[in-house]
Amino acid sequence: MSRPLHRGSSGAAGERISGSSNDFWDSQMKDKTDKEDLERRASSDNNSIAFRFPIRVLFPDNSPSKHGNTGNGFASDPLIASTPRSRHKLALLLLKLSLVLIVILALTGSFWWTISISTTSRGHIYHGYRRLQQQLVSDLWHIGELSLGSSRLRDLEFCPQEFENHVPCFNVSENLALGLSDGNEYDRHCEYGMRQNCLVLPPVKYKIPLRWPTGRDVIWVANVKITAQEVLSSGSLTKRMMMLEEEQISFRSASLMFDGVEDYSHQIAEMIGLRNESNFIQAGVRTILDIGCGYGSFGAHLFSSQILTMCIANYEASGSQVQLTLERGLPAMIGSFTSKQLPYPSLSFDMLHCARCGIDWDQRDGILLIEVDRVLKPGGYFVWTSPITNAETFRRNKVNQKRWNLVHDFAENLCWEMLSQQDETVVWKKTSKRNCYSSRKPGSGPSICSKGHDVESPYYRPLQACIGGTQSRRWIPIEERTTWPSRANPNKSELAIYGLHQEELSEDAETWKMAVRNYWSLLSPLIFSDHPKRPGDEDPSPPYNMLRNVLDMNAHFGGFNSALLEAGKSMWVMNVIPSNGPNYLPLILDRGFVGVLHDWCEPFPTYPRTYDLVHAAGLLSLEVDHQRRCTILDLFTEIDRLLRPEGWVIIHDKAALVESARALTTGLKWDARVVEIESNSDEKLLICQKPFFKKQAN
């Protein structure tokens, strides 16, 4: 959780925004001068007026002022012409003068700091100048956002109906028109996507998802874009675990079919040398990346064993694996091995799983297997189920036999050990020993990445043809790591790898434990509306708990995720580390959570209506302190796209930023309120709920 930042004059401005009128300029035309106000203002303190006057120009307050201000936010003055036109011109002039004054003061301050270098400590000067600069940027941004007036605060329009399942940055037809091919047309191309500041409506017959555990195995057909033919023609092993009913799709993860997910998971455990899948935790397997996951049945089955499975698959306009998996409330995001590295750090997952995932691992000189190796922890497992791996099949098919031999030999050159091969499934184990790579025959496999190319947390960087992660301090075999749930609380020596002290993590953990208690006391009367409970009571067991998943937009150490688990909340968290902030994503993944690196000035790689709760602590401050390529309105419309109807938003930030953010929620049609934080007057909470609009776009 980010530390409190200093609040400047923008804080005073922010406190008045909730009382502002949207008809600010109209109210000026209607005001009349008041003789008593003139007399009071004449007797008021000139310094007080000089300080408050520009603030009131920008943020008029409808409440009576102790200085005798009139209803339009300006103090009466006998020197001001009484005509509405003159008052209007004066207001514009004063607004311009206020902005010029701020810039002059900033330049004066900067010059003063420069002159004082000869007499003051260099470190103190830099620190003070940096604070002044950051406060100026914050104040100018705050004024710039709000001085746009009613044009930015008006209600946003609803998007056209074709946007109901739209994912920005994934426009296959447009990519094809640009000449992209060989699978690149399905990849992420944000430079080609146009941002739409409109509100995405749900499908016509959309219904609120069923609550867990029922909602994990039964979803509404109308909530996703899939046809009956697509259900019947599903070819993936886990896709076949579906039954289409009149209004629902049911997923049978414990099917009596021979390839049922329960039997399949049991088979994988035995191939690793375990009794059954419930022993994955003891073998060091907590997080799994499921490539081309079908509709998430593999992860759904393992969820009850405390195994967290992240589904990734290509963008699909209809019948999407990712969309249906998310509708079940399970972890998923759009991801592709086509041309870019995944936005995960090296050495991230304990197991990678591919069951008929549609990827040709033998193609492109093995570069896709190198990416698998990069994100796999030392000692981790790669599980591949495909007709190509079936020995009986490829004996009769020379093409498949050649493809299998290429994958088999390349895996050996990556220092993977093949543990077992049964039917269509093969399991490899990544080496735990770094010296394995140097012991290979010269030229027998891909080289080790140089230090300059071994980027720990790439952000959609082109695929690399060298082995990454070998120089990381996080090279620790999964069998040597503490098992779950102890893994969630790293010890002193483990934290030293990330440059952290035990006290920092302990303080962060205590802060988030208190925050979760406070959040639940605010939300519990509402999120359990059909099973009411008093704040402080235990949560009712599912299906009454409405929150299945959380998007934490600025996860920091993953403390919010940890606190939710310790409080016994039955949900998973997508921990996002902003690309312009401190990168603690390796720590989050090593703690046994799931997360991703992301630039919040770009759309998140997922379908609309993904999350039940969106949480952002310190994100507005982080965005303001950096050079901005987008606005808070852009950020909020993206949150609205990601949030399911009747979902919740919690924003925790500086008081001034929260107040200005509150003004934007009107245009988004969110129900919102600002909550004071007793222990910290410099920060506030913004609690919002997205309404369920059944109205359809024309």
Side-chain angles (χ1 to χ4, degrees):
M1 181 175 179
S2 59
R3 296 176 181 172
L5 301 178
H6 295 277
R7 182 173 66 174
S9 62
S10 60
E15 291 171 1
R16 291 184 169 88
I17 189 64
S18 61
S20 300
S21 169
N22 291 333
D23 299 322
F24 172 51
W25 298 112
D26 293 338
S27 66
Q28 292 182 36
M29 305 297 293
K30 296 178 180 179
D31 287 336
K32 297 180 179 180
T33 56
D34 191 312
K35 186 174 181 180
E36 294 181 4
D37 288 345
L38 292 176
E39 295 173 355
R40 277 189 219 166
R41 184 181 181 281
S43 62
S44 61
D45 192 331
N46 290 336
N47 292 333
S48 174
I49 295 175
F51 176 75
R52 298 172 190 271
F53 190 80
I55 300 298
R56 287 190 174 273
V57 171
L58 293 173
F59 309 109
D61 195 332
N62 292 335
S63 60
S65 169
K66 65 181 180 179
H67 296 294
N69 289 2
T70 57
N72 62 4
F74 293 95
S76 302
D77 196 317
L79 299 178
I80 300 176
S82 60
T83 63
R85 182 179 298 274
S86 62
R87 288 200 301 273
H88 183 85
K89 290 182 178 178
L90 180 61
L92 291 175
L93 177 62
L94 289 172
L95 178 60
K96 294 177 182 178
L97 290 175
S98 299
L99 293 173
V100 171
L101 180 61
I102 290 174
V103 174
I104 292 173
L105 289 174
L107 293 174
T108 304
S110 177
F111 179 75
W112 182 87
W113 282 112
T114 305
I115 295 299
S116 63
I117 286 178
S118 59
T119 58
T120 312
S121 163
R122 187 177 299 271
H124 284 226
I125 290 172
Y126 178 79
H127 179 69
Y129 175 78
R130 187 65 178 166
R131 283 179 53 190
L132 178 64
Q133 186 184 51
Q134 289 177 347
Q135 187 61 54
L136 173 63
V137 171
S138 175
D139 290 346
L140 286 176
W141 170 82
H142 184 58
I143 292 171
E145 284 274 308
L146 297 179
S147 63
L148 293 175
S150 59
S151 64
R152 292 298 299 273
L153 299 179
R154 68 176 187 271
D155 287 358
L156 294 178
E157 300 294 330
F158 289 111
C159 299
Q161 190 168 350
E162 58 265 25
F163 277 77
E164 64 185 28
N165 295 297
H166 176 65
V167 182
C169 302
F170 293 90
N171 190 324
V172 178
S173 59
E174 187 172 335
N175 292 337
L176 286 170
L178 291 168
L180 297 171
S181 59
D182 298 326
N184 290 326
E185 66 271 21
Y186 295 100
D187 212 342
R188 176 180 178 274
H189 299 281
C190 275
E191 60 270 27
Y192 305 138
M194 297 297 292
R195 183 178 292 278
Q196 296 287 334
N197 274 344
C198 57
L199 305 181
V200 177
L201 282 163
V204 177
K205 297 181 180 179
Y206 181 86
K207 297 182 180 180
I208 299 299
L210 301 170
R211 299 170 192 174
W212 277 11
T214 306
R216 193 164 57 211
D217 295 323
V218 179
I219 66 173
W220 301 108
V221 176
N223 289 11
V224 293
K225 190 174 182 180
I226 191 170
T227 64
Q229 183 60 37
E230 286 171 326
V231 173
L232 296 173
S233 63
S234 298
S236 167
L237 182 151
T238 53
K239 284 183 182 179
R240 290 205 296 270
M241 304 295 98
M242 303 171 57
M243 291 178 60
L244 182 64
E245 299 176 0
E246 185 176 352
E247 292 185 331
Q248 299 175 335
I249 298 175
S250 298
F251 300 86
R252 309 300 180 189
S253 60
S255 170
L256 297 177
M257 296 168 60
F258 77 97
D259 59 355
V261 172
E262 184 174 4
D263 292 339
Y264 175 69
S265 303
H266 190 81
Q267 177 190 3
I268 293 173
E270 288 183 333
M271 294 173 71
I272 291 174
L274 305 175
R275 185 173 181 178
N276 54 50
E277 63 271 28
S278 63
N279 296 119
F280 276 152
I281 291 287
Q282 284 69 36
V285 177
R286 154 68 179 172
T287 56
I288 299 176
L289 185 65
D290 194 1
I291 307 163
C293 61
Y295 296 137
S297 293
F298 183 64
H301 174 67
L302 295 176
F303 196 88
S304 58
S305 298
Q306 300 186 64
I307 306 294
L308 201 53
T309 304
M310 170 61 68
C311 160
I312 64 166
N314 280 332
Y315 167 77
E316 298 167 283
S318 180
S320 167
Q321 303 172 67
V322 171
Q323 188 185 41
L324 268 75
T325 301
L326 288 166
E327 187 64 25
R328 300 178 68 182
L330 298 166
M333 62 175 283
I334 299 172
S336 172
F337 277 87
T338 307
S339 62
K340 305 284 180 58
Q341 289 183 318
L342 296 170
Y344 307 123
S346 302
L347 319 179
S348 291
F349 295 93
D350 305 316
M351 178 184 287
L352 267 74
H353 173 255
C354 163
R356 299 180 185 175
C357 61
I359 295 179
D360 297 326
W361 300 109
D362 58 304
Q363 300 298 309
R364 302 181 60 188
D365 299 323
I367 198 169
L368 304 180
L369 286 170
I370 294 175
E371 177 66 358
V372 170
D373 182 85
R374 184 187 71 82
V375 298
L376 198 60
K377 290 183 184 294
Y381 304 95
F382 178 52
V383 180
W384 183 27
T385 297
S386 169
I388 295 175
T389 66
N390 191 319
E392 294 297 327
T393 300
F394 65 61
R395 283 195 187 101
R396 299 189 299 269
N397 188 321
K398 296 301 181 182
V399 175
N400 281 354
Q401 185 175 7
K402 182 180 179 181
R403 296 180 66 187
W404 161 251
N405 288 337
L406 285 171
V407 174
H408 176 272
D409 294 344
F410 198 87
E412 189 174 87
N413 291 332
L414 287 171
C415 284
W416 291 1
E417 176 191 0
M418 193 173 79
L419 297 182
S420 182
Q421 185 178 7
Q422 294 182 18
D423 302 322
E424 294 186 350
T425 301
V426 60
V427 178
W428 282 282
K429 183 179 177 66
K430 178 178 175 176
T431 184
S432 299
K433 301 175 181 178
R434 291 191 238 210
N435 59 8
C436 176
Y437 303 107
S438 58
S439 64
R440 296 175 301 172
K441 294 179 182 179
S444 62
S447 61
I448 297 175
C449 292
S450 64
K451 194 169 184 179
H453 284 85
D454 197 357
V455 178
E456 184 169 60
S457 296
Y459 186 66
Y460 297 107
R461 190 177 67 155
L463 289 169
Q464 304 292 300
C466 56
I467 299 173
T470 60
Q471 303 181 53
S472 173
R473 297 178 64 191
R474 297 170 47 243
W475 184 282
I476 303 172
I478 62 171
E479 56 267 20
E480 294 180 15
R481 292 180 178 270
T482 53
T483 57
W484 180 263
S486 299
R487 184 191 289 191
N489 300 299
N491 58 37
K492 184 178 180 180
S493 60
E494 291 170 334
L495 285 174
I497 295 173
Y498 315 98
L500 294 174
H501 298 288
Q502 189 75 54
E503 295 76 17
E504 292 179 88
L505 194 67
S506 299
E507 181 181 349
D508 184 74
E510 289 302 316
T511 299
W512 283 113
K513 286 179 185 177
M514 182 179 297
V516 166
R517 288 195 295 268
N518 291 338
Y519 291 168
W520 242 248
S521 68
L522 291 168
L523 296 180
S524 59
L526 302 170
I527 62 176
F528 306 110
S529 55
D530 60 352
H531 189 95
K533 76 184 199 73
R534 294 186 301 276
D537 289 352
E538 291 296 321
D539 293 350
S541 59
Y544 297 107
N545 190 333
M546 288 177 63
L547 298 180
R548 306 161 301 168
N549 57 13
V550 178
L551 175 67
D552 194 356
M553 300 178 71
N554 187 21
H556 202 47
F557 300 152
F560 184 45
N561 192 159
S562 181
L564 287 169
L565 290 175
E566 288 195 25
K569 310 305 179 188
S570 56
M571 64 190 68
W572 64 273
V573 179
M574 173 65 89
N575 296 282
V576 180
I577 295 296
S579 58
N580 60 346
N583 181 17
Y584 290 107
L585 186 56
L587 169 63
I588 288 172
L589 288 154
D590 290 348
R591 295 182 73 179
F593 309 144
V594 292
V596 68
L597 197 69
H598 185 65
D599 180 352
W600 281 116
C601 278
E602 299 173 353
F604 196 70
T606 192
Y607 291 83
R609 303 173 299 279
T610 290
Y611 293 99
D612 300 332
L613 171 65
V614 174
H615 176 256
L619 181 66
L620 302 185
S621 296
L622 179 65
E623 293 295 331
V624 168
D625 289 343
H626 288 76
Q627 186 175 1
R628 300 183 53 76
R629 295 178 291 107
C630 56
T631 67
I632 297 300
L633 181 62
D634 296 329
L635 185 64
F636 276 22
T637 52
E638 176 64 3
I639 292 175
D640 187 84
R641 185 182 73 87
L642 302 176
L643 197 63
R644 71 162 175 83
E646 297 187 359
W648 296 87
V649 180
I650 300 178
I651 294 174
H652 183 174
D653 222 302
K654 292 170 61 177
L657 293 176
V658 167
E659 291 287 359
S660 52
R662 166 67 180 86
L664 294 178
T665 63
T666 303
L668 293 160
K669 305 176 176 63
W670 292 352
D671 299 322
R673 64 188 176 110
V674 174
V675 178
E676 303 282 347
I677 300 177
E678 293 182 3
S679 59
N680 189 344
S681 60
D682 290 337
E683 297 180 357
K684 289 184 179 181
L685 289 178
L686 178 63
I687 310 292
C688 311
Q689 186 178 31
K690 175 182 175 179
F692 181 7
F693 290 107
K694 296 184 180 181
K695 171 188 174 183
Q696 292 300 300
N698 295 328

